[in-house]
């Protein structure tokens, strides 16, 4: 499996790729980037590389046909209709590809689900729709379109860049300052992944090994909080590493997280969490359906559809559908019923988010519905009828083992901490701290097998 937190990637692939990328002339850097991306994906998913190339060529064919019909800005009605037909056909094709692979992965063999297929397809759909909406000033070149779909920093878990954000028409000059900034983001993300997310993953794995029916209620709540932090630092860490690599290569930093645990509502939480995915659903599903500029009934439907699709997108299990539905219900409730009270009382909103979000992540984490019921029975023993656990002292032992990771995670969830780092990242003390984080992370990677990023197969 491909992972940015592997020693092979950090000390072999990335340094060699960066050296080759910097020494080739500027006009060939897109080709070098594309070649590196193809090699990166082929190493991890050699069986599916041809399918990815074929999907890329088909999407480019539809884009070329649409561009020929719609050259210029004053289009006749027949041209608009024709371009819309090409866009619809391309999108239907892309959705069909994603659906087929999702079904194969769900009902035949999980290995038949290509790595990061959802991210590739979402990029392809956004490209076709943006082309139809005339958000591109020049006819896209095949090498740029292929690079946009396949660029390896975003290959397996996003962020979901838009084509125009790549600024592919501009030359990517070598910039030592960008290289330094990109390395800092990469190291910070690596530390979040290895030193926090992977450590908290051990807690959740221990609870699964013990059996949810055997843990105490306090430990169940600690586990829910730990899983929430694990998922956050795993995915935020990956996003920082991916964006850091892009910055090293001369591209703009893409923000994918904005301190979601500082939110005052579930709606705000998901405007801050996985920002590029949320904006994708907003721009290509929610707004085309009518968005919020419609009647209450239609708005209810639009929100319900978006969150149902979000749940399905994340996985094939019934628990993912339940997770999406639960979030949809909460967000609809905020929109129509109690959101105004959360706005008026920020403290209430913060407590509401910090209480409910870990519970929704438990639904996300446990695919077996019976075990999910057992876990909620431990969380709420009186309501669930689970009774008092026989192992009431377990919270003390696990609290002593993991308090340092929870403390570090809570501190990093505070928006001011990251802003402080951004402001002082050129300070020698910050550079020294990052060096310690890097080599400490490498030490742990070399002494353990490591855990793959949680979002790799979405």
């Amino acid at each position: 499996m491909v992972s940015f937190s592997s020693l092979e990637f950090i000390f072999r692939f990335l340094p060699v790729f960066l050296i080759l990328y910097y020494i080739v002339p500027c006009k060939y850097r897109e080709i070098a980037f594309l070649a590196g991306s193809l090699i990166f994906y082929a190493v991890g998913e050699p069986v599916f590389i041809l399918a990815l190339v074929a999907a890329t060529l088909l999407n480019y064919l539809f884009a070329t046909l649409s561009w020929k019909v719609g050259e210029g800005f004053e289009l006749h009605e027949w041209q608009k209709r024709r371009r819309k037909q090409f866009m619809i056909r391309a999108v239907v094709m892309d959705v069909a590809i994603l659906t087929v692979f999702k079904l194969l992965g769900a009902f035949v063999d999980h290995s038949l689900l290509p790595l990061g297929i959802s991210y590739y397809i979402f990029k392809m759909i956004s490209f076709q729709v943006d082309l139809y909406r005339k958000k591109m000033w020049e006819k896209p070149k095949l090498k740029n379109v292929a690079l946009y779909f396949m660029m390896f920093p975003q290959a397996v878990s996003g962020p979901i860049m838009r084509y125009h954000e790549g600024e592919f028409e501009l030359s990517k000059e070598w910039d030592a300052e960008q290289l330094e900034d990109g390395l800092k983001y990469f190291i910070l993300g690596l530390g979040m992944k290895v030193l926090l997310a992977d450590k908290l993953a051990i807690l959740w794995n221990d609870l699964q090994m013990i059996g949810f029916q055997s843990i105490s209620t306090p430990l169940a709540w600690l586990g829910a909080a730990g899983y929430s932090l694990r998922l956050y630092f795993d995915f935020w860490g990956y996003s920082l590493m991916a964006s850091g690599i892009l910055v090293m290569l001369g591209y703009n930093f893409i923000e994918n997280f904005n301190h979601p645990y500082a939110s005052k509502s579930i709606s705000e939480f998901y405007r801050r969490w996985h920002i590029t995915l949320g904006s994708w659903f907003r721009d290509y599903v929610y707004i085309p359906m009518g968005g919020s500029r419609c009647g209450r009934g239609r708005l209810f439907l639009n929100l319900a559809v978006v969150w149902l699709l979000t749940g399905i997108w994340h996985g094939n299990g019934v628990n993912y559908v339940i997770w999406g539905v639960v979030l949809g219900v909460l967000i609809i409730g905020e929109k129509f019923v109690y959101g105004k009270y959360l706005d008026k009382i920020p403290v209430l909103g913060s407590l509401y988010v910090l209480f409910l979000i870990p519970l929704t992540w438990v639904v996300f984490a446990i695919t077996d519905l019976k075990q999910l019921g057992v876990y909620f029975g431990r969380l709420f023993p009186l309501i669930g009828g689970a009774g008092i656990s026989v192992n009431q002292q377990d919270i003390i032992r696990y609290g002593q083992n993991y308090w340092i990771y929870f403390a570090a995670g809570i501190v990093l969830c505070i928006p001011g901490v990251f802003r402080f780092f951004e402001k002082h990242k050129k300070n020698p003390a910050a550079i020294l701290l990052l060096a310690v984080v890097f080599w400490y992370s490498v030490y742990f990677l070399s002494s353990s097998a490591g855990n793959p990023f949680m979002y790799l197969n979405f």
Side-chain angles (χ1 to χ4, degrees):
M1 178 173 286
V2 181
S3 174
F4 290 170
S5 63
S6 67
L7 296 177
E8 290 78 10
F9 180 84
I10 295 171
F11 291 107
R12 293 180 183 176
F13 179 87
L14 186 59
V16 171
F17 171 78
L18 288 175
I19 291 170
L20 294 175
Y21 182 83
Y22 289 137
I23 64 176
V24 300
C26 288
K27 64 180 180 179
Y28 298 121
R29 282 184 178 166
E30 290 90 352
I31 299 297
F33 195 179
L34 178 59
S37 298
L38 286 167
I39 293 170
F40 177 87
Y41 196 82
V43 169
E45 295 283 320
V47 176
F48 298 112
I49 188 66
L50 292 179
L52 179 59
V53 171
T56 298
L57 293 175
L58 287 171
N59 271 273
Y60 185 73
L61 173 62
F62 277 112
T64 301
L65 295 172
S66 178
W67 187 272
K68 286 181 179 179
V69 172
E71 285 187 281
F73 291 94
E74 295 296 330
L75 303 183
H76 297 289
E77 286 301 319
W78 72 267
Q79 289 176 299
K80 294 179 182 178
R81 289 194 300 269
R82 190 67 174 150
R83 293 182 71 248
K84 188 173 184 178
Q85 289 173 356
F86 283 126
M87 183 270 291
I88 292 173
R89 290 171 185 173
V91 170
V92 169
M93 175 191 71
D94 291 333
V95 172
I97 292 172
L98 179 59
T99 302
V100 167
F101 278 118
K102 284 276 190 179
L103 291 175
L104 288 174
F107 298 108
V108 180
D109 191 325
H110 187 69
S111 65
L112 296 176
L113 184 65
L115 195 67
I117 183 66
S118 297
Y119 290 95
Y120 285 110
I121 295 300
F122 274 26
K123 275 189 174 184
M124 292 173 180
I125 292 172
S126 72
F127 172 76
Q128 295 294 345
V129 175
D130 288 350
L131 181 72
Y132 168 73
R133 292 173 176 173
K134 301 190 76 66
K135 291 189 175 182
M136 300 167 198
W137 297 96
E138 299 179 4
K139 179 184 177 182
K141 298 177 182 178
L142 176 59
K143 66 174 183 178
N144 292 338
V145 174
L147 175 58
Y148 167 64
F149 292 155
M150 301 185 196
M151 52 174 53
F152 75 84
Q154 301 179 344
V156 290
S157 291
I160 305 173
M161 178 195 284
R162 308 294 173 86
Y163 182 83
H164 67 273
E165 292 176 328
E167 299 180 332
F168 297 105
E169 293 76 17
L170 302 179
S171 176
K172 301 297 185 294
E173 300 290 341
W174 188 88
D175 190 325
E177 185 173 355
Q178 281 191 307
L179 174 61
E180 180 184 344
D181 286 344
L183 279 171
K184 289 174 181 175
Y185 288 123
F186 183 88
I187 292 170
L188 187 60
L190 179 67
M192 289 179 179
K193 159 65 180 169
V194 176
L195 304 181
L196 276 180
D198 284 0
K199 297 300 180 182
L200 291 168
I202 298 173
L203 170 60
W204 185 255
N205 291 341
D206 281 355
L207 300 191
Q208 292 177 308
M209 292 293 293
I210 294 171
F212 298 147
Q213 69 277 2
S214 301
I215 63 176
S216 68
T217 293
L219 183 57
W221 280 99
L222 186 73
Y227 185 86
S228 301
L229 290 175
R230 172 205 177 182
L231 183 61
Y232 178 45
F233 289 109
D234 191 285
F235 197 19
W236 188 21
Y238 178 92
S239 295
L240 284 174
M241 294 169 79
S243 293
I245 295 171
L246 286 175
V247 170
M248 292 184 220
L249 302 180
Y251 294 81
N252 293 324
F253 180 87
I254 297 179
E255 185 179 36
N256 208 25
F257 284 85
N258 183 20
H259 311 289
Y261 284 100
S263 303
K264 304 298 187 295
S265 67
I266 305 298
S267 303
E268 182 187 355
F269 183 92
Y270 280 100
R271 288 194 296 271
R272 292 166 170 256
W273 176 282
H274 204 341
I275 295 169
T276 57
L277 178 64
S279 65
W280 192 96
F281 274 107
R282 179 197 66 206
D283 294 342
Y284 304 109
V285 180
Y286 181 66
I287 291 178
M289 291 179 64
S292 58
R293 297 184 177 181
C294 53
R296 293 172 64 88
R298 184 55 185 267
L299 175 57
F300 182 99
L301 176 64
N302 293 346
L303 290 170
V305 169
V306 165
W307 282 101
L308 178 61
L309 290 176
T310 301
I312 294 172
W313 180 85
H314 275 86
N316 298 316
V318 177
N319 66 302
Y320 295 109
V321 176
I322 297 173
W323 173 76
V325 170
V326 167
L327 290 174
V329 168
L330 291 171
I331 289 172
I332 289 170
E334 292 174 5
K335 194 76 173 178
F336 292 107
V337 184
Y338 56 85
K340 56 186 177 182
Y341 301 110
L342 299 177
D343 292 336
K344 291 179 180 178
I345 312 174
V347 173
L348 177 62
S350 296
L351 295 174
Y352 162 81
V353 168
L354 294 176
F355 175 74
L356 286 178
I357 285 296
L359 296 180
T360 63
W361 286 136
V362 169
V363 178
F364 183 90
I366 304 175
T367 57
D368 186 307
L369 296 186
K370 182 178 179 180
Q371 289 301 309
L372 180 59
V374 171
Y375 200 96
F376 269 86
R378 299 284 6 125
L379 289 169
F380 305 99
L382 299 180
I383 298 175
I388 306 268
S389 173
V390 296
N391 193 17
Q392 298 180 49
Q393 302 302 313
D394 54 8
I395 183 62
I396 298 175
R397 176 161 54 91
Y398 281 96
Q400 290 173 338
N401 290 339
Y402 289 96
W403 74 266
I404 186 67
Y405 305 113
F406 278 91
I410 291 169
V411 168
L412 288 175
C413 284
I414 301 172
V417 173
F418 192 76
R419 286 197 293 265
F420 182 84
F421 167 79
E422 285 278 275
K423 184 178 179 180
H424 298 282
K425 63 184 178 182
K426 296 186 180 299
N427 188 291
I431 294 173
L432 177 61
L433 178 61
L434 284 174
V436 172
V437 168
F438 176 75
W439 289 111
Y440 204 40
S441 299
V442 169
Y443 168 77
F444 277 107
L445 286 173
S446 64
S447 60
S448 63
N451 295 314
F453 291 97
M454 298 176 70
Y455 266 70
L456 286 181
N457 285 321
F458 291 159

